[in-house]
Amino acid sequence: MIKNIVFDLGNVLVTFKPETFLMDLFHDDELVEALYSFLFVEHNYWNRYDQGILSAKDIINSSMKYKKEIELVMKSWVNYVNPVESSIDVLNQYKDQYNLYILSNIPEDCYRYLMDHHRLDKYVKGGVYSYAEKRIKPDLEIFKTLLNRYDLQAEETLFIDDHIDNIQAASQLGFDTIHLTDISQLKYRIEEKL
């Protein structure tokens, strides 16, 4: 029986579309492709940023060719991360019936922004965030941290994420899971499981 529901943040509770915010900032397909590759592919910068190993300043200073553009990205990207109203409705619907938690790969500045501006913490009993743990999903240890910190049983816990590798990691530990590929389907997908 499910007693706990664990939500990822990006593309589950909040928007996170790097290509969209890069295009909004620069309106140049070639530049957007280069910046996306620089931040998310070639150097693994974004994962290390999520992990709390690199700061925004570190990433800005790592780029000579795109320094001005990377500086703009790092100063403004959190403004493109916003709660999805239908997902917040789901939190409200289930917060009194289930123990709700967040498990997210997120850098500290975005975490602070979301909690300060949108108070996502008011819906949940707790959370585990990659920047604080210096680990990112799908590392099994970050899932174990969640289970141990809140004394949860994996088999009583539903985990929701948009990345299949994170879903597979949670499944290895015995979580029930939802691989959410369409954020608008969150409520329906949860109802199927409960």
Side-chain angles (χ1 to χ4, degrees), residues 53-136:
I53 294 170
L54 291 179
S55 68
K57 187 175 181 182
D58 293 330
I59 295 174
I60 292 165
N61 290 336
S62 69
S63 174
M64 299 314 290
K65 185 174 181 183
Y66 301 112
K67 188 170 182 118
K68 180 180 69 170
E69 291 86 356
I70 297 293
E71 188 170 7
L72 178 59
V73 170
M74 301 314 291
K75 286 182 176 177
S76 46
W77 77 273
V78 296
N79 298 309
Y80 291 88
V81 179
N82 292 295
V84 175
E85 190 174 330
S86 60
S87 296
I88 301 306
D89 290 345
V90 167
L91 292 178
N92 269 318
Q93 178 180 347
Y94 289 113
K95 69 182 174 142
D96 295 328
Q97 302 167 49
Y98 296 90
N99 302 309
L100 306 185
Y101 300 92
I102 294 171
L103 176 58
S104 184
N105 291 350
I106 188 171
E108 185 173 6
D109 51 357
C110 189
Y111 167 80
R112 301 259 174 243
Y113 173 82
L114 287 174
M115 298 311 159
D116 291 348
H117 290 85
H118 300 293
R119 295 305 317 269
L120 292 181
D121 54 333
K122 72 182 179 182
Y123 301 100
V124 298
K125 293 193 178 291
V128 172
Y129 304 95
S130 61
Y131 80 87
E133 305 304 323
K134 304 297 186 244
R135 295 182 183 276
I136 57 172

